[in-house]
């Protein structure tokens, strides 16, 4: 029996043309783009379909763009009769996961997501920061090592626990460089600097969370009753609306426990993961965590047809 989870990507998955084919083929998807255009006063269709990579890398644009595309595709997946037992998202992707779980409304929250991106972008100009993906080391070894070089004025922390043998570190540039040098000597197979200029998911982002908390005050959030929602802040199921609100604020400066989320989903009996939105980042991470599960990515007509055929094949 197929037990399905919807998972949604975060920042970095964007590409020019994302969502265009399905928006042109299904009014349920185009309606989401129309809502985004109206609420933001931006031509979200042009930004996603026909802009350029540099524009889409602008965090203030990236975050509402990925959110729009993910929810637009979600609407099409639901139209095709595919439903989920649980949902989760990688950082930004949690907003689409909460739409899937019935906890928030896209039209009410698209402006919130843009402000999230704007505040993060503004914060990037206030400190010299960087991030790097570290491959080939146990997460506890990385954690213990960076504790030794982490001091008040020179912060480096784990930002993402992506899968076994892959974590992302984040912090001030000098501390991240020092950590990378040391982790190389400890046997890291590869360390890849990320093309970002903000210390996402580190304590250096607390000022962003404080500003964002004020924006969250007037947002309606409902309990998750029909679909289980798993928070990347805690790594487990969260259903209470106020806990969800609190975690969306904490998420900005807390590590993303993606590996923990997937392990918990496996314990819930999930055996089919459908990544909804641009790219296949989560599909690849999930396969690294457990190669025996089925992973499907839906981002265009071909992948939609393949996913529906597999899931609806009784």
């Amino acid at each position: 029996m197929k037990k399905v989870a919807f998972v949604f990507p975060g920042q970095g998955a964007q590409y020019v043309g994302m969502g265009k084919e399905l928006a042109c083929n299904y009014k349920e998807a185009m309606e989401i783009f129309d809502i985004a255009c109206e609420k933001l006063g931006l031509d979200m269709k042009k930004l996603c379909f026909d802009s350029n990579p540099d524009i889409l890398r602008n965090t203030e644009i990236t975050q509402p763009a990925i959110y729009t595309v993910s929810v637009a595709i979600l609407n099409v997946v639901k139209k095709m009769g595919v439903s989920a037992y649980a949902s989760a998202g990688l950082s930004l992707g949690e907003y689409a996961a909460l739409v899937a779980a019935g906890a928030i409304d896209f039209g009410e929250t698209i402006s919130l997501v843009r402000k999230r991106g704007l505040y993060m972008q503004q914060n990037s100009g206030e400190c010299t920061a960087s991030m790097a993906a570290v491959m080939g080391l146990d997460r506890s070894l990385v954690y213990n090592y960076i504790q030794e070089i982490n001091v008040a004025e020179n912060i480096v922390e784990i930002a993402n626990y992506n899968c076994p043998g892959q974590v992302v570190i984040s912090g001030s540039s000098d501390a991240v460089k020092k950590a990378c040098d040391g982790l190389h000597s400890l046997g890291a197979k590869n360390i890849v600097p990320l093309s970002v200029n903000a210390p996402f998911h580190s304590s250096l982002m607390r000022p962003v969370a404080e500003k964002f908390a004020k924006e969250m005050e007037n947002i309606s959030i409902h309990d998750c009753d029909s679909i289980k929602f798993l928070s990347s802040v805690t790594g487990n199921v969260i259903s209470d609306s106020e806990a969800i609100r609190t975690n969306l604020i904490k998420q900005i400066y807390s590590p993303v426990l993606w590996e923990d989320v997937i392990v918990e989903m496996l314990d819930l009996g999930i055996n089919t993961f459908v990544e909804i939105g641009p790219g296949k980042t989560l599909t690849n991470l999930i396969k690294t965590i457990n190669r025996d599960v089925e992973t499907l990515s839906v981002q265009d007509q071909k992948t939609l047809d393949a996913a529906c055929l597999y899931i609806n094949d009784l």
Side-chain angles (χ1 to χ4, degrees):
M1 179 180 177
K2 301 180 181 73
K3 200 169 188 179
V4 177
F6 291 160
V7 294
F8 299 87
Q11 188 165 345
Q14 71 276 0
Y15 59 85
V16 176
M18 60 181 181
K20 183 175 183 177
E21 184 178 23
L22 291 178
C24 291
N25 290 350
Y26 298 91
K27 64 179 180 60
E28 291 83 2
M30 190 63 79
E31 286 169 356
I32 295 299
F33 281 93
D34 290 337
I35 291 170
C37 291
E38 177 185 353
K39 295 290 185 180
L40 300 179
L42 295 173
D43 189 342
M44 189 56 71
K45 298 172 192 177
K46 183 175 181 179
L47 287 168
C48 291
F49 303 163
D50 300 305
S51 62
N52 65 67
D54 289 337
I55 292 174
L56 280 180
R57 273 196 293 268
N58 182 328
T59 300
E60 182 188 357
I61 299 299
T62 307
Q63 295 198 9
I66 291 176
Y67 184 36
T68 299
V69 171
S70 296
V71 176
I73 298 174
L74 170 67
N75 272 12
V76 178
V77 170
K78 290 165 64 177
K79 170 187 170 61
M80 303 303 289
V82 178
S83 59
Y85 177 80
S87 68
L90 185 76
S91 189
L92 166 68
E94 287 198 336
Y95 289 85
L98 286 165
V99 171
I104 61 174
D105 175 72
F106 175 80
E108 184 184 9
T109 54
I110 181 61
S111 295
L112 176 76
V113 168
R114 185 186 184 189
K115 288 178 181 177
R116 180 183 186 268
L118 174 62
Y119 294 160
M120 288 182 171
Q121 184 173 302
Q122 290 172 339
N123 189 72
S124 68
E126 297 175 5
C127 60
T128 304
S130 61
M131 300 177 70
V134 180
M135 272 74 81
L137 292 177
D138 183 80
R139 57 193 273 177
S140 61
L141 189 154
V142 177
Y143 177 83
N144 290 333
Y145 176 75
I146 64 177
Q147 297 314 299
E148 300 174 8
I149 62 174
N150 194 1
V151 295
E153 69 280 3
N154 207 21
I155 289 174
V156 57
E157 298 165 350
I158 295 183
N160 294 63
Y161 294 90
N162 284 338
C163 63
Q166 184 185 131
V167 301
V168 175
I169 59 175
S170 176
S172 61
S173 293
D174 288 345
V176 170
K177 182 181 184 305
K178 183 176 181 180
C180 289
D181 292 342
L183 292 169
H184 266 304
S185 67
L186 289 176
K189 292 182 179 177
N190 195 18
I191 297 180
V192 181
L194 303 185
S195 58
V196 298
N197 58 358
F200 296 137
H201 299 292
S202 78
S203 57
L204 293 173
M205 299 298 286
R206 281 184 179 272
V208 174
E210 291 169 4
K211 290 175 65 176
F212 188 69
K214 294 182 173 62
E215 304 290 346
M216 287 288 298
E217 289 176 358
N218 297 318
I219 297 296
S220 301
I221 301 180
H222 308 286
D223 292 349
C224 296
D225 296 322
S226 57
I227 294 178
K228 293 185 183 299
F229 167 74
L230 285 86
S231 167
S232 65
V233 174
T234 64
N236 56 20
V237 175
I238 299 292
S239 59
D240 177 74
S241 60
E242 287 311 306
I244 292 169
R245 188 187 307 275
T246 297
N247 282 336
L248 287 177
I249 298 166
K250 285 184 176 180
Q251 179 211 72
I252 291 173
Y253 60 83
S254 300
V256 176
L257 306 180
W258 186 248
E259 180 182 347
D260 304 64
V261 165
I262 299 305
V263 170
E264 182 71 12
M265 282 186 163
L266 294 170
D267 288 344
L268 290 172
I270 303 294
N271 55 28
T272 304
F273 292 84
V274 182
E275 181 174 4
I276 297 175
K280 296 179 65 176
T281 299
L282 303 185
T283 299
N284 295 331
L285 293 179
I286 292 166
K287 275 297 189 183
T288 302
I289 295 168
N290 188 315
R291 293 195 173 277
D292 294 330
V293 298
E294 184 66 30
T295 54
L296 303 158
S297 168
V298 178
Q299 53 185 314
D300 54 24
Q301 189 65 55
K302 180 179 179 180
T303 52
L304 172 69
D305 292 342
C308 291
L309 180 64
Y310 176 81
I311 293 170
N312 293 327
D313 179 14
L314 301 180

